[in-house]
Amino acid sequence: MCNAGGMANRSSNRGKGKLDVNQIAHQTILIATRQMEKPKEPEKNPAAVTLGRLGGLKGGKARAEKLSPKKRSEIAKKAADVRWAAKSEPDVK
């Protein structure tokens, strides 16, 4: 049995997803010759953006406050070990 790679297209997914190289080239020519307008980026919901940023700003600090000093030390030691291991490995090309 030969697998051609990837799953078969489903009718419910047609027309969705990323464009292939030829479609991008065609779209670029149409935009350059002003036969088509540039596709507009979907607008972001300002409330969702604010909430996402707020969570990102709070996240690390809140997590650090919840961790015990011992657990924070373990996490820091593990991170340092990974950093030093990466520096000590020779570059293989």
Side-chain angles (χ1 to χ4, degrees):
M1 180 178 215
C2 179
N3 185 354
M7 293 179 59
N9 286 337
R10 297 183 182 213
S11 61
S12 62
N13 289 336
R14 288 200 181 138
K16 299 178 184 174
K18 296 182 179 180
L19 300 175
D20 71 8
V21 176
N22 293 318
Q23 292 170 324
I24 293 170
H26 179 71
Q27 193 176 50
T28 303
I29 296 298
L30 291 178
I31 292 169
T33 57
R34 297 183 185 222
Q35 296 175 18
M36 177 180 157
E37 290 184 20
K38 277 188 179 179
K40 295 182 180 174
E41 301 267 337
E43 292 184 25
K44 294 183 178 180
N45 180 343
V49 170
T50 303
L51 281 175
R53 177 166 165 68
L54 184 61
L57 293 174
K58 286 183 181 178
K61 189 174 182 182
R63 179 172 181 254
E65 288 173 356
K66 288 181 182 178
L67 292 172
S68 69
K70 183 178 178 183
K71 185 67 176 174
R72 274 198 315 269
S73 177
E74 289 173 5
I75 292 170
K77 183 178 180 342
K78 184 177 175 184
D81 290 344
V82 170
R83 280 194 306 272
W84 280 101
K87 287 183 180 180
S88 65
E89 291 178 2
D91 290 336
V92 178
K93 292 185 180 183

